Amino acid sequence: MGSSNCFRWAVVILCCSSLTHGHLEREHSPMILPSENPLILHKDGLLHLTCRGHGPLQWKLVDSNRSLSSEEVKVESCDSRHHSHSHCSKLTITSLVANDTGRYNCEYSKNGSAHFTSIYVYVQDPEQPFVDPHPLRPIILESYRHETSLILPCRTTYPDIEVTLTGQLVALPEKVVKEQIWDPKVGFKIPYDPYREISMVFCKTKVNGRDFESKYFPMRITHALQNVKITPERVKLLVGDTLILNCTGKTTHNGRIKFTWDFPKSKENRHETQWTMDRSTKVYVMSRSLFLPNITMEDKGVYHCRAEINPTIYMNVTAKVIVIEHPYLNISYKHERHSTIRVKEGRKKLVFDPKVQALPPPDMAAWFKDGVPINRSSTCYKMSGFTLIIVNVQQQNAGVFTVSLGNQARGLHRNLSFTLIVEVKPIISEAELATVDVQPYMIGRQHQLTCTAYGVPLPNTTWFWQPCQLNTTLIKSPVHTDDRGNYSHNWIKSINVKRELVKGKIKVCV
């Protein structure tokens, strides 16, 4: 018995607590007059609302296209004496139009808590039964693949008007017809199968025998967002130049990337942007270019681009912009390479690649060999940018190579020279021409032997003597001028070395 009584008391206490909480909420909430909700008015009429509350009051025009600062909108304080509420505010809107249909909020904050009350207003207009009509061009309704319902926002200026939903050319899916929900304050809410497409749909109604319609085009959009970047990522400009940066990103079918630029002095609105899209492949490339003319030193810094599919799916990228006050042109050797380069003959490829630092870039570039210009159509040399390439290096490629760079508009010119030495493997000319291995000479007479050799650098030549008796081990031994003839050696009177020009080449003759 006692337990049963305790249960009854608990139920009574809980019920009383709930009722008390609800009563306190109503006590703290602002009060709007007139109390009729929804409130039905007419086009060109007057909206007059009074709100009373326990704190400084604010009005919000939730659905209306007007703002509180509009000419036809007036907000003023009113007398709060002789009322339980300490604050009072009046909202007046003149010359009402159909688009004023919507929800109006009155709110205040106190002790960290927000309290508000709302009223819905219909502004009836027989010429515009839909609040936001789209009779000619359909509005695109975007939704993601995971969303299973869709709102068609064809809310009306009449609370009890009859509106029907139809498809274009083909009937709506049976599920949509059966499960659609109509609310004049919202429009139609329909089920939307993630993998079923719906073509254009129409909200239709009739007022005073006249037909009205509003068109909508449902479209699935994607979450895909990839490869967001700014090109170039690092750029140098002179004062007065025009900065061009391109922010790009990749998405898929029905993807829409929103690009937002942020950079130094962006609030001055000196810049222009241009949006582009490439649909030539399954992956869509979208971009927004930034154009900033007449760059100043204050425009240097980090430039930010935000690429956004929706507020929760986005990527941020940056680029660094460097602004230089005066033009310059510097040219030097790369990797501390000296001006003299030695390579062996037959090397497959040799590249002269000077280090060039210039702003603006040179508009003149020429290469010279021993003071003679190298033709760009030459088969021996190839030019690419500021570099010179020699393929299959030969001895005749040796010489002094000079690159000359300049910028005519800025009056800048610089030269840099490379000395190429091609090392050639030593060869003996007589060895190439000899037809027999043994040549006879008269005993006791003086004979002169000649050895002509060539190479780069010039080779050192050494004579060797080798006995040719039968049944002996053949041993080569160096020959010197102080040797005297004996049983095994001939007397070497002298060994002379001289350089001669033979067939256009400096050769060593011994």
Side-chain angles (χ1 to χ4, degrees):
M1 183 72 178
S3 176
S4 178
N5 287 334
C6 288
F7 176 74
R8 291 192 185 99
W9 280 108
V11 171
V12 170
I13 292 171
L14 286 172
C15 290
C16 290
S17 175
S18 177
L19 290 172
T20 302
H21 179 74
H23 176 71
L24 289 175
E25 282 295 316
R26 288 192 297 272
E27 280 292 317
H28 287 293
S29 296
M31 180 179 64
I32 295 180
L33 294 175
S35 58
E36 181 182 356
N37 194 2
L39 181 62
I40 300 175
L41 302 174
H42 297 277
K43 180 188 175 183
D44 298 325
L46 174 70
L47 173 63
H48 183 80
L49 299 176
T50 301
C51 181
R52 299 184 184 276
H54 296 290
L57 301 167
Q58 289 185 333
W59 289 97
K60 284 191 176 180
L61 285 57
V62 180
D63 300 312
S64 177
N65 293 327
R66 298 185 192 267
S67 65
L68 292 175
S69 59
S70 298
E71 185 178 352
E72 296 84 2
V73 179
K74 183 178 181 180
V75 177
E76 56 185 341
S77 299
C78 50
D79 189 3
S80 59
R81 292 177 297 177
H82 311 298
H83 291 277
S84 59
H85 298 82
S86 57
H87 292 76
C88 179
S89 178
K90 288 183 179 181
L91 172 67
T92 303
I93 301 179
T94 59
S95 303
L96 290 173
V97 295
N99 297 89
D100 290 318
T101 297
R103 190 172 303 279
Y104 294 77
N105 287 359
C106 177
E107 59 185 49
Y108 73 92
S109 297
K110 190 173 185 179
N111 299 327
S113 298
H115 307 276
F116 73 93
T117 299
S118 65
I119 183 173
Y120 197 90
V121 178
Y122 289 96
V123 180
Q124 296 182 342
D125 182 358
E127 298 294 324
Q128 186 180 327
F130 292 112
V131 177
D132 189 16
H134 301 277
L136 301 176
R137 186 175 182 180
I139 184 174
I140 295 176
L141 302 177
E142 298 178 342
S143 63
Y144 293 100
R145 188 71 63 184
H146 67 276
E147 295 177 300
T148 57
S149 63
L150 179 68
I151 298 295
L152 305 173
C154 53
R155 58 193 184 99
T156 57
T157 60
Y158 292 77
D160 52 0
I161 197 171
E162 182 179 350
V163 180
T164 58
L165 185 64
T166 62
Q168 182 187 38
L169 300 179
V170 295
L172 292 173
E174 183 179 356
K175 185 177 182 180
V176 172
V177 175
K178 289 183 177 180
E179 298 182 16
Q180 63 181 336
I181 300 174
W182 166 251
D183 184 344
K185 299 176 183 178
V186 177
F188 279 104
K189 181 180 180 180
I190 62 173
Y192 197 10
D193 191 314
Y195 297 98
R196 182 167 189 152
E197 299 296 331
I198 299 178
S199 60
M200 193 182 304
V201 292
F202 302 81
C203 291
K204 295 184 177 182
T205 190
K206 182 176 289 190
V207 178
N208 299 332
R210 181 181 171 188
D211 293 324
F212 295 89
E213 67 179 18
S214 189
K215 302 177 183 180
Y216 302 93
F217 188 85
M219 184 176 70
R220 291 291 189 185
I221 55 177
T222 181
H223 288 284
L225 179 62
Q226 299 175 337
N227 295 358
V228 177
K229 61 183 179 180
I230 298 177
T231 52
E233 291 183 330
R234 181 183 176 91
V235 60
K236 286 184 179 180
L237 295 169
L238 283 172
V239 170
D241 287 348
T242 297
L243 171 65
I244 302 176
L245 295 176
N246 194 30
C247 187
T248 62
K250 294 183 178 179
T251 184
T252 56
H253 181 67
N254 284 346
R256 293 294 183 272
I257 304 177
K258 176 184 177 184
F259 296 96
T260 305
W261 284 98
D262 185 30
F263 52 91
K265 301 180 71 176
S266 59
K267 294 181 179 179
E268 292 186 3
N269 290 325
R270 291 165 41 226
H271 63 282
E272 296 180 4
T273 61
Q274 181 179 355
W275 188 88
T276 60
M277 179 172 65
D278 180 5
R279 292 184 176 179
S280 58
T281 63
K282 291 184 179 180
V283 176
Y284 289 1
V285 179
M286 301 183 185
S287 65
R288 182 169 288 278
S289 300
L290 173 68
F291 301 89
L292 185 59
N294 197 23
I295 284 287
T296 66
M297 294 296 293
E298 289 74 24
D299 292 312
K300 65 183 178 181
V302 179
Y303 284 59
H304 302 260
C305 175
R306 177 186 175 100
E308 177 183 304
I309 290 288
N310 64 48
T312 62
I313 301 176
Y314 60 89
M315 295 178 68
N316 293 316
V317 290
T318 61
K320 187 173 183 179
V321 175
I322 301 171
V323 182
I324 306 297
E325 191 170 1
H326 301 291
Y328 61 90
L329 172 57
N330 297 321
I331 182 171
S332 59
Y333 302 105
K334 275 189 177 180
H335 312 301
E336 299 181 356
R337 174 181 281 184
H338 298 294
S339 61
T340 301
I341 302 171
R342 294 178 177 270
V343 298
K344 295 185 181 300
E345 186 179 44
R347 178 168 170 169
K348 292 183 179 180
K349 184 179 180 180
L350 174 64
V351 179
F352 295 108
D353 188 16
K355 182 179 180 181
V356 179
Q357 296 175 311
L359 193 69
D363 55 15
M364 298 186 304
W367 279 92
F368 299 83
K369 181 180 184 295
D370 299 327
V372 178
I374 298 176
N375 197 319
R376 285 191 172 270
S377 60
S378 170
T379 57
C380 300
Y381 306 99
K382 296 180 180 179
M383 283 176 266
S384 177
F386 307 132
T387 65
L388 180 69
I389 303 171
I390 305 176
V391 180
N392 190 20
V393 179
Q394 299 298 314
Q395 198 279 329
Q396 58 263 32
N397 296 132
V400 178
F401 292 84
T402 302
V403 59
S404 179
L405 304 179
N407 187 290
Q408 287 183 317
R410 303 287 182 173
L412 300 175
H413 297 276
R414 295 288 187 276
N415 294 335
L416 187 70
S417 294
F418 299 83
T419 300
L420 175 62
I421 298 175
V422 180
E423 296 182 349
V424 181
K425 182 179 179 181
I427 58 173
I428 298 175
S429 301
E430 286 78 9
E432 297 175 354
L433 301 174
T435 57
V436 293
D437 294 333
V438 179
Q439 297 182 25
Y441 292 94
M442 293 295 291
I443 189 168
R445 291 187 180 183
Q446 179 174 308
H447 297 282
Q448 177 176 312
L449 302 179
T450 302
C451 176
T452 305
Y454 173 74
V456 179
L458 288 174
N460 295 320
T461 305
T462 303
W463 285 93
F464 288 86
W465 178 80
Q466 177 179 313
C468 55
Q469 291 89 346
L470 297 176
N471 301 322
T472 61
T473 304
L474 303 179
I475 301 175
K476 293 180 180 180
S477 59
V479 173
H480 302 286
T481 56
D482 58 349
D483 287 345
R484 286 288 177 176
N486 52 40
Y487 67 94
S488 61
H489 292 278
N490 290 308
W491 174 38
I492 307 300
K493 183 179 181 180
S494 65
I495 299 176
N496 299 314
V497 180
K498 62 180 179 178
R499 297 182 182 184
E500 291 185 358
L501 182 65
V502 180
K503 293 182 180 181
K505 295 182 179 179
I506 300 295
K507 297 187 177 183
V508 177
C509 298
V510 182

